[in-house]
Every structure is written in C-alpha cells, then in structure tokens.
Short mmCIF file of all heavy atoms in Angstrom, two decimals:
data_model
loop_
_atom_site.label_atom_id
_atom_site.label_comp_id
_atom_site.label_asym_id
_atom_site.label_seq_id
_atom_site.Cartn_x
_atom_site.Cartn_y
_atom_site.Cartn_z
N GLN A 905 0.86 -1.23 0.00
CA GLN A 905 0.02 0.00 0.07
C GLN A 905 0.84 1.23 0.02
O GLN A 905 1.83 1.38 0.68
CB GLN A 905 -0.86 0.02 1.22
CG GLN A 905 -1.88 -1.22 1.29
CD GLN A 905 -2.77 -1.22 0.08
OE1 GLN A 905 -3.38 -0.16 -0.21
NE2 GLN A 905 -2.93 -2.35 -0.54
N GLY A 906 0.35 2.31 -0.72
CA GLY A 906 1.21 3.53 -0.88
C GLY A 906 0.68 4.59 0.13
O GLY A 906 1.33 5.56 0.41
N GLU A 907 -0.53 4.35 0.78
CA GLU A 907 -1.05 5.36 1.77
C GLU A 907 -1.16 4.65 3.08
O GLU A 907 -1.91 3.72 3.20
CB GLU A 907 -2.39 5.89 1.26
CG GLU A 907 -2.36 6.65 -0.05
CD GLU A 907 -3.73 7.20 -0.51
OE1 GLU A 907 -4.49 7.56 0.48
OE2 GLU A 907 -3.94 7.50 -1.68
N PHE A 908 -0.48 5.17 4.02
CA PHE A 908 -0.47 4.57 5.34
C PHE A 908 0.10 5.48 6.44
O PHE A 908 0.81 6.40 6.10
CB PHE A 908 0.28 3.26 5.38
CG PHE A 908 1.65 3.31 4.91
CD1 PHE A 908 2.73 3.59 5.83
CD2 PHE A 908 2.04 3.26 3.53
CE1 PHE A 908 4.04 3.71 5.37
CE2 PHE A 908 3.36 3.37 3.14
CZ PHE A 908 4.32 3.51 3.97
N TYR A 909 -0.19 5.19 7.72
CA TYR A 909 0.45 5.78 8.82
C TYR A 909 1.44 4.76 9.42
O TYR A 909 1.16 3.56 9.30
CB TYR A 909 -0.48 6.18 9.92
CG TYR A 909 -1.29 7.46 9.62
CD1 TYR A 909 -2.52 7.41 8.95
CD2 TYR A 909 -0.81 8.74 10.07
CE1 TYR A 909 -3.20 8.58 8.70
CE2 TYR A 909 -1.49 9.85 9.84
CZ TYR A 909 -2.64 9.77 9.09
OH TYR A 909 -3.43 10.98 8.90
N LEU A 910 2.53 5.22 9.90
CA LEU A 910 3.60 4.30 10.47
C LEU A 910 4.19 5.02 11.69
O LEU A 910 4.60 6.16 11.61
CB LEU A 910 4.64 3.97 9.43
CG LEU A 910 5.68 3.05 9.83
CD1 LEU A 910 5.07 1.61 10.16
CD2 LEU A 910 6.81 2.85 8.76
N VAL A 911 4.29 4.24 12.80
CA VAL A 911 4.83 4.78 13.97
C VAL A 911 6.31 4.15 14.04
O VAL A 911 6.44 2.82 14.06
CB VAL A 911 4.04 4.42 15.18
CG1 VAL A 911 4.72 4.89 16.51
CG2 VAL A 911 2.67 5.12 15.09
N GLY A 912 7.27 4.93 14.29
CA GLY A 912 8.54 4.29 14.47
C GLY A 912 9.66 5.41 14.67
O GLY A 912 9.42 6.60 14.61
N ASP A 913 10.90 4.95 14.89
CA ASP A 913 11.99 5.86 14.98
C ASP A 913 12.74 6.05 13.59
O ASP A 913 12.17 5.35 12.59
CB ASP A 913 13.07 5.45 16.09
CG ASP A 913 13.55 3.99 15.77
OD1 ASP A 913 13.25 3.47 14.63
OD2 ASP A 913 14.28 3.50 16.63
N LEU A 914 13.70 6.77 13.55
CA LEU A 914 14.38 6.96 12.24
C LEU A 914 14.79 5.61 11.54
O LEU A 914 14.57 5.45 10.37
CB LEU A 914 15.65 7.92 12.43
CG LEU A 914 16.47 8.03 11.25
CD1 LEU A 914 15.79 8.67 10.05
CD2 LEU A 914 17.79 8.85 11.53
N GLN A 915 15.34 4.75 12.33
CA GLN A 915 15.77 3.48 11.81
C GLN A 915 14.63 2.64 11.18
O GLN A 915 14.85 2.14 10.12
CB GLN A 915 16.42 2.59 12.90
CG GLN A 915 17.03 1.32 12.40
CD GLN A 915 17.86 0.49 13.40
OE1 GLN A 915 18.00 1.00 14.47
NE2 GLN A 915 18.32 -0.59 12.96
N LYS A 916 13.42 2.64 11.76
CA LYS A 916 12.34 1.92 11.21
C LYS A 916 11.93 2.49 9.82
O LYS A 916 11.68 1.64 8.88
CB LYS A 916 11.13 1.98 12.24
CG LYS A 916 9.96 1.08 11.78
CD LYS A 916 8.94 0.92 12.86
CE LYS A 916 7.85 0.06 12.37
NZ LYS A 916 6.86 -0.17 13.58
N PHE A 917 11.80 3.87 9.76
CA PHE A 917 11.40 4.37 8.46
C PHE A 917 12.51 4.13 7.45
O PHE A 917 12.17 3.88 6.23
CB PHE A 917 11.26 5.92 8.62
CG PHE A 917 10.04 6.28 9.48
CD1 PHE A 917 10.24 6.85 10.75
CD2 PHE A 917 8.71 6.02 9.15
CE1 PHE A 917 9.15 7.18 11.55
CE2 PHE A 917 7.62 6.27 9.91
CZ PHE A 917 7.86 6.89 11.14
N ALA A 918 13.79 4.23 7.91
CA ALA A 918 14.91 4.09 6.94
C ALA A 918 14.96 2.59 6.50
O ALA A 918 15.28 2.28 5.28
CB ALA A 918 16.18 4.51 7.51
N ASN A 919 14.72 1.65 7.29
CA ASN A 919 14.78 0.21 6.99
C ASN A 919 13.72 0.05 5.97
O ASN A 919 13.87 -0.85 5.04
CB ASN A 919 14.45 -0.64 8.21
CG ASN A 919 15.66 -0.91 8.99
OD1 ASN A 919 16.84 -1.07 8.39
ND2 ASN A 919 15.59 -1.11 10.29
N LEU A 920 12.51 0.61 5.98
CA LEU A 920 11.53 0.43 4.96
C LEU A 920 11.96 0.96 3.57
O LEU A 920 11.51 0.42 2.55
CB LEU A 920 10.21 0.97 5.41
CG LEU A 920 8.94 0.68 4.51
CD1 LEU A 920 8.73 -0.72 4.32
CD2 LEU A 920 7.70 1.36 5.06
N ILE A 921 12.76 2.05 3.59
CA ILE A 921 13.31 2.50 2.41
C ILE A 921 14.19 1.37 1.77
O ILE A 921 13.99 1.17 0.54
CB ILE A 921 14.20 3.82 2.55
CG1 ILE A 921 13.22 4.90 2.96
CG2 ILE A 921 14.99 4.04 1.29
CD1 ILE A 921 13.98 6.21 3.27
N ILE A 922 15.02 0.75 2.58
CA ILE A 922 15.90 -0.22 2.03
C ILE A 922 15.12 -1.45 1.55
O ILE A 922 15.41 -1.97 0.44
CB ILE A 922 16.87 -0.75 3.18
CG1 ILE A 922 17.65 0.42 3.70
CG2 ILE A 922 17.74 -1.88 2.64
CD1 ILE A 922 18.60 1.08 2.61
N VAL A 923 14.07 -1.86 2.15
CA VAL A 923 13.25 -2.91 1.69
C VAL A 923 12.68 -2.59 0.37
O VAL A 923 12.56 -3.47 -0.58
CB VAL A 923 12.09 -3.19 2.74
CG1 VAL A 923 11.04 -4.09 2.10
CG2 VAL A 923 12.61 -3.73 4.00
N ASN A 924 12.13 -1.37 0.21
CA ASN A 924 11.56 -1.01 -1.14
C ASN A 924 12.52 -0.84 -2.28
O ASN A 924 12.30 -1.31 -3.36
CB ASN A 924 10.74 0.30 -0.91
CG ASN A 924 9.40 0.05 -0.32
OD1 ASN A 924 8.47 -0.40 -0.97
ND2 ASN A 924 9.26 0.39 0.98
N LEU A 925 13.81 -0.34 -1.91
CA LEU A 925 14.86 -0.27 -2.92
C LEU A 925 15.25 -1.77 -3.38
O LEU A 925 15.51 -1.91 -4.53
CB LEU A 925 16.02 0.44 -2.33
CG LEU A 925 15.86 1.99 -2.18
CD1 LEU A 925 17.05 2.59 -1.41
CD2 LEU A 925 15.56 2.72 -3.48
N ASN A 926 15.37 -2.61 -2.44
CA ASN A 926 15.88 -3.94 -2.72
C ASN A 926 14.84 -4.77 -3.41
O ASN A 926 15.05 -5.80 -4.07
CB ASN A 926 16.33 -4.65 -1.47
CG ASN A 926 17.74 -4.14 -1.06
OD1 ASN A 926 18.41 -3.59 -1.88
ND2 ASN A 926 17.99 -4.38 0.20
N ARG A 927 13.55 -4.32 -3.28
CA ARG A 927 12.43 -5.00 -4.04
C ARG A 927 12.70 -4.81 -5.53
O ARG A 927 12.36 -5.71 -6.34
CB ARG A 927 11.18 -4.31 -3.62
CG ARG A 927 9.87 -4.69 -4.44
CD ARG A 927 8.64 -4.18 -3.75
NE ARG A 927 8.74 -2.85 -3.39
CZ ARG A 927 8.59 -1.77 -4.28
NH1 ARG A 927 8.27 -2.07 -5.53
NH2 ARG A 927 8.58 -0.52 -3.80
N LEU A 928 13.35 -3.75 -6.00
CA LEU A 928 13.70 -3.54 -7.40
C LEU A 928 15.12 -3.96 -7.76
O LEU A 928 15.32 -4.46 -8.82
CB LEU A 928 13.45 -2.05 -7.71
CG LEU A 928 12.05 -1.46 -7.52
CD1 LEU A 928 11.99 -0.02 -7.96
CD2 LEU A 928 11.00 -2.31 -8.18
N ALA A 929 16.08 -3.58 -6.79
CA ALA A 929 17.46 -3.85 -7.16
C ALA A 929 17.93 -5.27 -6.84
O ALA A 929 18.92 -5.68 -7.42
CB ALA A 929 18.36 -2.86 -6.36
N GLY A 930 17.23 -6.00 -6.00
CA GLY A 930 17.63 -7.34 -5.49
C GLY A 930 18.01 -7.37 -4.09
O GLY A 930 18.51 -6.39 -3.60
N ASP A 931 17.78 -8.45 -3.49
CA ASP A 931 18.02 -8.65 -1.98
C ASP A 931 19.44 -8.29 -1.69
O ASP A 931 20.37 -8.81 -2.30
CB ASP A 931 17.64 -10.00 -1.52
CG ASP A 931 16.18 -10.23 -1.47
OD1 ASP A 931 15.44 -9.22 -1.50
OD2 ASP A 931 15.69 -11.41 -1.37
N GLY A 932 19.63 -7.46 -0.74
CA GLY A 932 21.03 -7.10 -0.20
C GLY A 932 21.80 -6.16 -0.93
O GLY A 932 22.88 -5.76 -0.65
N TYR A 933 21.16 -5.59 -2.12
CA TYR A 933 21.93 -4.67 -2.87
C TYR A 933 22.15 -3.35 -2.11
O TYR A 933 23.22 -2.83 -2.05
CB TYR A 933 21.15 -4.37 -4.19
CG TYR A 933 21.95 -3.46 -5.19
CD1 TYR A 933 22.84 -4.03 -6.08
CD2 TYR A 933 21.77 -2.05 -5.17
CE1 TYR A 933 23.55 -3.26 -6.99
CE2 TYR A 933 22.51 -1.33 -6.07
CZ TYR A 933 23.38 -1.94 -6.99
OH TYR A 933 24.12 -1.06 -7.80
N TYR A 934 21.02 -2.82 -1.49
CA TYR A 934 21.09 -1.66 -0.67
C TYR A 934 21.15 -2.04 0.71
O TYR A 934 20.57 -3.00 1.17
CB TYR A 934 19.97 -0.75 -0.93
CG TYR A 934 20.07 0.01 -2.23
CD1 TYR A 934 19.43 -0.40 -3.38
CD2 TYR A 934 20.78 1.25 -2.37
CE1 TYR A 934 19.50 0.25 -4.67
CE2 TYR A 934 20.86 1.95 -3.60
CZ TYR A 934 20.23 1.43 -4.68
OH TYR A 934 20.29 2.03 -5.92
N GLN A 935 21.91 -1.22 1.53
CA GLN A 935 22.04 -1.54 2.99
C GLN A 935 21.89 -0.18 3.74
O GLN A 935 22.04 0.97 3.19
CB GLN A 935 23.39 -2.13 3.34
CG GLN A 935 23.58 -3.52 2.65
CD GLN A 935 24.85 -4.14 3.00
OE1 GLN A 935 25.52 -3.68 3.98
NE2 GLN A 935 25.26 -5.18 2.16
N LEU A 936 21.63 -0.37 5.09
CA LEU A 936 21.41 0.83 5.96
C LEU A 936 22.55 0.67 7.02
O LEU A 936 22.66 -0.27 7.63
CB LEU A 936 20.07 0.78 6.60
CG LEU A 936 19.85 2.02 7.61
CD1 LEU A 936 19.84 3.28 6.87
CD2 LEU A 936 18.51 1.67 8.39
N ALA A 937 23.35 1.76 7.12
CA ALA A 937 24.36 1.83 8.14
C ALA A 937 23.74 2.03 9.50
O ALA A 937 22.49 2.34 9.58
CB ALA A 937 25.35 2.96 7.84
N SER A 938 24.40 1.93 10.58
CA SER A 938 23.83 2.19 11.92
C SER A 938 23.32 3.65 11.88
O SER A 938 23.92 4.54 11.37
CB SER A 938 24.91 1.98 13.05
OG SER A 938 25.99 2.87 12.79
N THR A 939 22.10 3.82 12.56
CA THR A 939 21.44 5.15 12.57
C THR A 939 21.43 5.70 13.94
O THR A 939 21.45 5.07 15.01
CB THR A 939 20.04 5.03 12.09
OG1 THR A 939 19.30 4.11 12.96
CG2 THR A 939 19.98 4.58 10.63
#
C-alpha cells in the first residue's frame, strides 16, 4: 500500500526504504548503516 500511517524511529522508516529499494534492485543490494 502507498497510503498509510507508520509509527517508528528513524531506523524503522529508513529500513522500509531499504526494503523497497531492494524490491527492485535485488536482496542485499542496498544497505542501511547504523542510525
């Protein structure tokens, strides 16, 4: 879904960015450093 509310800290929102990027680029292509 593209419309939603989400409760979390910076790391939670950033992790979802990584999930969505790797959905297109392939698992493990993008990573998140410690936040």
